Amino acid sequence: MVDTTNFTDKSRFRGSDENLHLTERFTRVSPDTILYEFTVDDPTAFTKPWTAQIPLTKAKGRIYEYACNEGNYAMTDMLAGARAAEKKALK
């Protein structure tokens, strides 16, 4: 479980503010699936807490970190080059 508080006005989510309380749970429900559940609680922005669930299924092959690189338009080309190099190394 991940329990996050201490948000600021710089980290708004759909009108929330420093009263935002985010609770996240990761539960393995099968050998290939983790259920990601989160609850958003902010009495300033919402009339009551709300929860969502997203099943995360095991991916085939490698997965790569996703980083938010705003304005980094070269990332696509860098990754394409790395994938091409991997294919060449496998031959």
Side-chain angles (χ1 to χ4, degrees):
M1 185 176 108
V2 179
D3 191 33
T4 307
T5 57
N6 297 324
F7 288 92
T8 70
D9 61 350
K10 296 178 183 175
S11 57
R12 294 190 181 278
F13 173 73
R14 300 198 177 265
S16 63
D17 57 19
E18 62 275 355
N19 293 316
L20 177 61
H21 178 198
L22 180 64
T23 305
E24 301 170 281
R25 290 182 174 80
F26 300 84
T27 306
R28 183 171 295 279
V29 293
S30 77
D32 294 336
T33 307
I34 293 174
L35 183 64
Y36 171 60
E37 178 180 354
F38 63 92
T39 301
V40 176
D41 185 9
D42 183 345
T44 306
F46 305 104
T47 56
K48 62 182 181 179
W50 56 276
T51 300
Q53 295 180 340
I54 303 169
L56 306 173
T57 55
K58 184 177 179 180
K60 294 180 181 177
R62 293 180 174 179
I63 60 172
Y64 297 91
E65 175 187 7
Y66 174 81
C68 182
N69 294 291
E70 296 160 349
N72 187 351
Y73 300 108
M75 184 62 69
T76 302
D77 294 329
M78 289 187 299
L79 291 174
R83 299 300 82 78
E86 289 173 351
K87 283 182 183 178
K88 187 176 180 181
L90 292 174
K91 290 182 179 181

